[in-house]
Amino acid sequence: MGFEVSINTILGFLPKQRRTGLFSATQTEEVEALVRAGLRNPVRVVVREKASKSKSEQRTPSTLKNFYTICESEKKFSTLVTFLQARETSKNMVFFSTCSCVNYFAKALEMLLTNMTVLSIHGKMRSKRRKVFDSFRKLTSGVLVCTDVMARGVDIPEVDWVIQFDPPSSANAFVHRCGRTARIGNQGNALLFLLPEEESYVNFISINQKVPLQLFEMEETVTDIVPSLRKMATNNRDIYEKGMKALVSFVQFYRKHECSLIFRTSDLNLGKLATGFGLIKMPVMPELKDKTVDFDPVDIDVENIRYKNKTREKERKRKLQERKASSEAVTQQANAMKKKKQERNSVPWSKNKERKTNREKRKARREFMKKQRQQHLQERKELEELAREASLLKKFRSGKITKVEFDSRVRIEDQVDD
């Protein structure tokens, strides 16, 4: 993961006579190079699960059941909420694509799943990450909403379900996400959410990562939670803003996806996607330029949506007043300039005066052009004179003419110029 230089530096400080154990969950070319460079007489110990030939080719444990489900973008989050509500006693990890999505959907799940503990973690949570991680490890049931920062290098006991709400940006990350459950011989389940136009990703993962997926049929009736999301957004500005950022960040993630043949931004129905996110209005995005989308906005003035936090709301109102004052000042200035222009245009204009002004402009233009020509002629004349003197000097230095001839010719040319 980019630590090759650091590891080699550390090995350089260690004694030459030593016993070294190198442990790695993945065998990459970088690890092989490290073995050759840092170890003498290495002995490889590989731990494999005993299974049939067909199962040994699979990259996930036999105790892990991999599922996928297909749902429309406007029902995707509602399906997730229904799924989690039916598993209140389970320990679940839900992977999202971006930090903004984690911030938004974790807040939404926290308010919708009242009987469950909901925690969130992502790469930008520097100070809180360890605390949240330790808290989730100690839980017997609950939900951890996270990004791929939790996809590898961590051990969380007894995770029942790993849910990939957004497919990962790389195929390798898919296996690492699933690896958070079914650890050390335990049973585990993984569920991948896909849109109808993304269904070919199932075959891709089966071929590329050797992980077959089974279709998961939802037993519970999916409850539409979009109205609840929209109500939360209209009552809390923090949720409203988090939802807008989440959608924008998701579209940006989608556009840069590694599997661009499967995950095409042009296939996304942005209107339905925004509805599934529970947004009350569409955000400003380049992808929406000159496009009409199937989206029903909420009839509300978003400037009137308040923060629940009084300090943030006070700061927002202060900034609103500053923007309003600045806008009024600009409007007044524009009106004053418009009025001045109207007054200037209202003065009677004589036709003769207009002709006289035009004649004076043409005369001034001619004089300017004449001066320019004269200046160019003078500059060219001076350049030619310098060239002649340089030629004479060159002849003098090469011995073709004497100093007397040089001085006389220079004086003659100076007299001619005068």
Side-chain angles (χ1 to χ4, degrees), residues 29-44:
E29 292 180 1
E30 289 82 3
V31 173
E32 292 292 340
L34 190 62
V35 169
R36 290 195 296 271
L39 304 182
R40 294 180 181 179
N41 305 318
V43 176
R44 182 188 299 274

Side-chain angles (χ1 to χ4, degrees), residues 23 90 93 96 106 112 116 131 140 170 196 234 297 318 326 410:
F23 301 88
S90 300
M93 293 180 69
F96 286 87
L112 292 167
M116 300 181 73
K131 183 178 179 181
T140 55
S170 67
T234 55
R318 184 186 65 78
S326 177
V410 169

Side-chain angles (χ1 to χ4, degrees), residues 108-326:
L109 288 173
E110 186 180 335
M111 300 179 76
L112 292 167
L113 303 176
T114 54
N115 296 329
M116 300 181 73
T117 302
V118 178
L119 301 173
S120 63
I121 191 169
H122 55 71
K124 294 180 181 178
M125 296 171 59
R126 299 292 181 189
S127 57
K128 296 181 180 179
R129 225 155 60 184
R130 171 57 62 181
K131 183 178 179 181
V132 173
F133 175 73
D134 290 340
S135 299
F136 186 68
R137 287 191 90 242
K138 294 173 183 176
L139 289 177
T140 55
S141 64
V143 179
L144 178 65
V145 184
C146 56
T147 58
D148 282 338
V149 73
M150 295 295 290
R152 61 197 307 176
V154 295
D155 180 39
I156 301 175
E158 299 176 352
V159 174
D160 298 299
W161 282 91
V162 167
I163 303 156
Q164 304 192 48
F165 189 79
D166 299 326
S169 58
S170 67
N172 282 331
F174 178 90
V175 175
H176 288 298
R177 284 179 173 186
C178 296
R180 297 315 97 202
T181 184
R183 299 178 69 82
I184 322 177
N186 291 325
Q187 298 290 328
N189 305 278
L191 175 63
L192 172 66
F193 279 72
L194 292 172
L195 302 179
E197 53 270 20
E198 300 169 349
E199 191 169 359
S200 56
Y201 188 67
V202 175
N203 290 331
F204 172 78
I205 287 296
S206 178
I207 296 169
N208 185 276
Q209 295 297 308
K210 296 181 174 59
V211 180
L213 303 177
Q214 306 173 45
L215 180 63
F216 182 85
E217 297 291 346
M218 289 286 296
E219 298 177 357
E220 301 81 8
T221 303
V222 176
T223 305
D224 185 12
I225 53 87
V226 169
S228 300
L229 282 177
R230 287 187 155 190
K231 186 176 180 181
M232 286 189 286
T234 55
N235 294 329
N236 189 338
R237 189 170 194 85
D238 185 48
I239 293 179
Y240 160 73
E241 291 181 347
K242 278 182 168 64
M244 299 285 273
K245 289 179 182 178
L247 180 65
V248 172
S249 69
F250 173 78
V251 175
Q252 291 174 346
F253 154 81
Y254 208 87
R255 191 174 62 242
K256 300 173 184 176
H257 202 285
E258 187 182 79
C259 303
S260 56
L261 292 175
I262 300 174
F263 301 96
R264 296 186 294 265
T265 312
S266 56
D267 291 342
L268 284 177
N269 187 320
L270 296 177
K272 289 184 177 181
L273 188 66
T275 301
F277 273 55
L279 303 191
I280 58 177
K281 64 171 286 189
M282 292 296 294
V284 178
M285 293 190 300
E287 291 79 8
L288 292 173
K289 189 177 181 181
D290 302 326
K291 286 185 180 179
T292 55
V293 293
D294 182 17
F295 179 75
D296 185 21
V298 176
D299 186 14
I300 186 175
D301 184 0
V302 294
E303 293 295 339
N304 294 330
I305 301 176
R306 299 170 177 267
Y307 287 114
K308 293 292 184 183
N309 186 294
K310 293 182 179 179
T311 304
R312 291 186 69 185
E313 179 60 22
K314 187 177 179 180
E315 181 66 14
R316 183 184 78 89
K317 285 184 176 179
R318 184 186 65 78
K319 290 181 178 180
L320 270 177
Q321 290 175 352
E322 288 179 355
R323 284 201 299 268
K324 187 177 179 181
S326 177

